[in-house]
Amino acid sequence: MSTYRVAQVDTAGAPLRIVEREVPRPGPRHVRIAVEACGICHSDAAFVNALLPGVRFPVVPGHENAGRIEELGDGAADMGWQVGDRVAVGWFGGSCGHCTRCRQGDFIVCDTLKVPGWAYDGGFAESMIAPVDALARIPEALSATDAGPMACAGVTVFNGMRRSSARPGDLVAVLGLGGLGHLGVQYAVAMGFETVGIARGADKADFAKQLGAHHYIDSTADTPVAEALQSLGGAKVVVATASNSDAITAAFDGLAPRGELVVIGADAQPLGINPNQLLMSARVIRGHPSGTAQDVQDTMAFSALHGIRPMTEVVPLEQVDEAYQKMLSGRARFRMVLTNR
């Protein structure tokens, strides 16, 4: 019997542990992927701790996956996939194809979106099964450890910006310079935006400039963030990657008239924004989910073209629980990535 290793959580909040399982066969229109790298995302905590409905244990998390196809299920070859293809699978792990959203072509908000680690076993493992509509081709210029985080963190900020109202030359602010924000600044610069990095502390200024930001705002300085943005002319778009509702609220009045707040960072606390702040300047607040497999593929192609890479700490699968805890503590710089190499 052939076996492979997975890192699973047996009960809500329990540590991740390595176990061996029998190697599964992919079903129709599915493939088995030899996982080479898998990023650890803060959203994995929602599955580890059963914070979302329908989580069933044991759970194998992991939705920032990169690897190679090692076996095809029936029909996968007819859809253009071959053994050996390099693929990534992100938060978008497939859709139902028949709900109203899917029939409208808006697959990322499918009624029964299949997220790896929730709908099926994710990539904290040596291999995984995924449906073909979840697969994004990895360009040769990207390593697996770079491609994995692009499938969730990368596509979320890239897609959020390119679908925003900002155009080249507009002032765009990225709130937060962590796992999402450090990519967001790089994408904003490459898209031709006048880019503002916003974070806590004057010591982050040099880092923001290294990422390419044209301006830096210290959110702990005497000048409020909104006032500092208005002194630059007001932001067309603020991309809120920080998971802090107070920080997001503080940046909102820095938007120009008809400016747009794109919320990416997740926080259970409400935003402190009143209707008058929206009405008088015709501002918009928009939540943004991740992106489809094609969006992931676009993100990786854009990243390869512009030399954009995530900053990662790479550890072997055996150290998964230590790496997960480091991510939770906020000490990761900036994406923890598991590897089977």
Side-chain angles (χ1 to χ4, degrees), residues 12-338:
L16 286 148
R17 68 185 187 95
I18 305 293
V19 301
E20 288 199 359
R21 296 183 179 180
E22 185 176 353
V23 174
R25 300 293 303 274
R29 296 191 175 187
H30 284 65
V31 300
R32 189 174 71 243
I33 301 166
V35 179
E36 296 175 353
C38 182
I40 301 177
C41 180
H42 202 278
S43 299
D44 288 316
F47 311 133
V48 170
N49 295 298
L51 300 179
L52 292 170
V55 175
R56 293 171 294 183
F57 292 93
V59 162
V60 180
H63 57 267
E64 292 189 344
N65 308 295
R68 294 180 184 271
I69 295 176
E70 59 181 359
E71 186 177 357
L72 303 172
D74 291 344
D78 296 335
M79 303 180 77
W81 300 102
Q82 299 179 3
V83 170
D85 284 348
R86 301 181 70 223
V87 294
V89 178
W91 178 267
F92 179 84
S95 58
C96 72
H98 57 75
C99 71
T100 300
R101 264 57 60 181
C102 285
R103 287 169 62 85
Q104 292 171 338
D106 200 0
F107 302 106
I108 191 60
V109 288
C110 170
D111 287 349
T112 54
L113 183 70
K114 300 178 179 71
V115 181
W118 187 6
Y120 54 85
D121 289 345
F124 287 14
E126 291 177 326
S127 67
M128 64 179 290
I129 302 288
V132 292
D133 64 325
L135 305 179
R137 295 187 186 276
I138 301 174
E140 287 305 314
L142 290 185
S143 67
T145 53
D146 287 337
M150 295 293 182
C152 180
V155 68
T156 301
V157 289
F158 172 80
N159 218 27
M161 285 181 184
R162 73 168 176 172
R163 296 183 183 279
S164 76
S165 58
R167 297 296 177 264
D170 285 341
L171 189 75
V172 171
V174 179
L175 175 62
L177 295 179
L180 294 171
H182 86 285
L183 287 167
V185 169
Q186 295 178 76
Y187 287 132
V189 173
M191 290 179 185
F193 304 142
E194 183 180 353
T195 305
V196 185
I198 306 173
R200 293 177 57 84
D203 57 319
K204 304 281 198 337
D206 286 343
F207 178 57
K209 296 297 176 64
Q210 290 170 16
L211 294 172
H214 303 98
H215 312 278
Y216 176 73
I217 294 174
D218 173 9
S219 63
T220 66
D222 292 337
T223 304
V225 170
E227 186 177 327
L229 282 172
Q230 289 297 344
S231 72
L232 295 171
K236 179 66 174 179
V237 171
V238 171
V239 181
T241 71
S243 299
N244 186 312
S245 291
D246 289 340
I248 297 171
T249 299
F252 184 76
D253 278 337
L255 288 169
R258 299 196 182 278
E260 180 181 10
L261 171 65
V262 180
V263 179
I264 290 173
D267 189 356
Q269 298 303 311
L271 296 173
I273 297 168
N274 66 62
N276 287 339
Q277 291 173 278
L278 297 170
L279 292 170
M280 299 305 290
S281 295
R283 292 166 175 154
V284 174
I285 302 174
R286 180 168 63 86
H288 177 74
S290 180
T292 66
Q294 184 59 54
D295 293 325
V296 173
Q297 196 162 305
D298 292 346
T299 301
M300 292 189 293
F302 187 90
S303 300
L305 182 64
H306 291 278
I308 296 171
R309 301 292 187 273
M311 296 181 179
T312 61
E313 293 186 47
V314 179
V315 298
L317 181 64
E318 293 82 0
Q319 297 177 21
V320 58
D321 196 61
E322 297 93 325
Y324 173 76
Q325 296 301 330
K326 187 171 184 178
M327 178 278 298
L328 281 182
S329 72
R331 294 181 292 112
R333 291 294 182 267
F334 283 95
R335 306 299 291 184
M336 300 300 300
V337 179
L338 303 172

